[in-house]
Amino acid sequence: MNRSQAEVWGVIPCSGSSTRMGTPKSMLDAGGQTFIERVIHAHRAGGCSRVLVALPTLDGPVAAKAVEAGAQVVENPSPEDGPIGSLRASIRVLDDAIEGISFCPVDHPLIHEDTVQKLIDVFRQTQAPLVVPTFNGKRGHPVLFRRMLFEELLNDALTEGARTVVHRHLGDTASVPVDDEGIVIDIDDMTTYRRHYPDPYRLYLQGR
């Protein structure tokens, strides 16, 4: 495949227990859409051919919301492994023609679709195994992994999950400065949530 046409799929790990938040993060209101809807939309509008959402089960309200938003749900048999379990489950269902994945936790609902598009553009213009956005010099999400790293990501011996692979390849990483603070805003507790969404939170467990 021509590098300028390299296909990238979005991968959203959504298998955590949300213990710090105290309620499912994926279904929290983020200004009229749920977290999961916002992250899916940013990836689809940003140029990902498809978006995979990894969940412990293919049933339930989160899976239904993900499908409604245009994503494909992937069952993660190892949610206890953390995000790397979701990433591995997603890699295993990828088509052979997929050259890269854009990996973004569901607790980053503030990322812009333009950021995803910029990262994919750099991914297609370079041979970098990793493409990572930065805001004021700080690395964030989503992280784009090239196919050459998939086998490494599937290795069970990663002490820090995907972060281990990122650190191994920092010297070859394409760092992309973006004007998008959302890449470094990890909303994983209620204090952070209320800072960015001050209205009382709502759960969309029954749909809208």
Side-chain angles (χ1 to χ4, degrees):
M1 177 182 291
N2 188 303
R3 213 174 7 164
S4 65
Q5 299 174 331
E7 194 169 353
V8 177
W9 284 14
V11 170
I12 305 172
C14 202
S15 301
S17 58
S18 300
T19 52
R20 293 182 65 187
M21 183 68 78
T23 194
K25 290 180 285 189
S26 55
M27 299 297 276
L28 284 171
D29 176 40
Q33 288 184 308
T34 58
F35 277 32
I36 190 66
E37 286 175 299
R38 281 198 172 274
V39 180
I40 291 170
H41 172 77
H43 281 78
R44 293 188 69 200
C48 287
S49 304
R50 295 174 71 176
V51 179
L52 306 179
V53 174
L55 291 163
T57 175
L58 300 180
D59 301 316
V62 179
K65 183 63 69 178
V67 171
E68 180 186 320
Q72 174 184 337
V73 177
V74 176
E75 186 171 7
N76 174 13
S78 305
E80 69 278 1
D81 291 344
I84 189 64
S86 292
L87 181 54
R88 288 169 175 155
S90 299
I91 288 174
R92 291 187 176 108
V93 304
L94 290 177
D95 292 347
D96 291 341
I98 307 310
E99 181 59 27
I101 54 175
S102 175
F103 183 65
C104 186
V106 74
D107 49 19
H108 283 68
L110 294 169
I111 63 167
H112 300 161
E113 61 187 71
D114 291 348
T115 295
V116 177
Q117 182 62 70
K118 186 172 184 179
L119 295 173
I120 291 176
D121 287 345
V122 171
F123 180 87
R124 289 172 172 165
Q125 293 162 7
T126 71
Q127 291 287 354
L130 282 165
V131 178
V132 180
T134 62
F135 180 80
N136 290 341
K138 184 177 180 181
R139 293 191 301 272
H141 285 95
V143 175
L144 273 63
F145 293 94
R146 197 172 292 278
R147 172 169 285 278
M148 66 178 69
L149 297 181
F150 290 178
E151 283 300 321
E152 195 171 337
L153 289 164
L154 291 171
N155 190 321
D156 289 334
L158 301 178
T159 55
E160 293 186 273
R163 185 177 295 132
T164 301
V165 176
V166 171
H167 287 168
R168 284 176 186 166
H169 297 276
L170 281 180
D172 300 319
T173 296
S175 296
V176 184
V178 296
D179 186 21
D180 179 3
E181 190 177 9
I183 70 159
V184 295
I185 297 176
D186 178 4
I187 302 179
D188 64 354
D189 58 50
M190 197 55 69
T191 299
T192 308
Y193 174 68
R194 288 179 174 144
R195 185 182 309 135
H196 295 283
Y197 298 102
D199 293 335
Y201 73 87
R202 293 174 286 168
L203 285 171
Y204 283 69
L205 294 177
Q206 303 303 320
R208 288 179 287 143

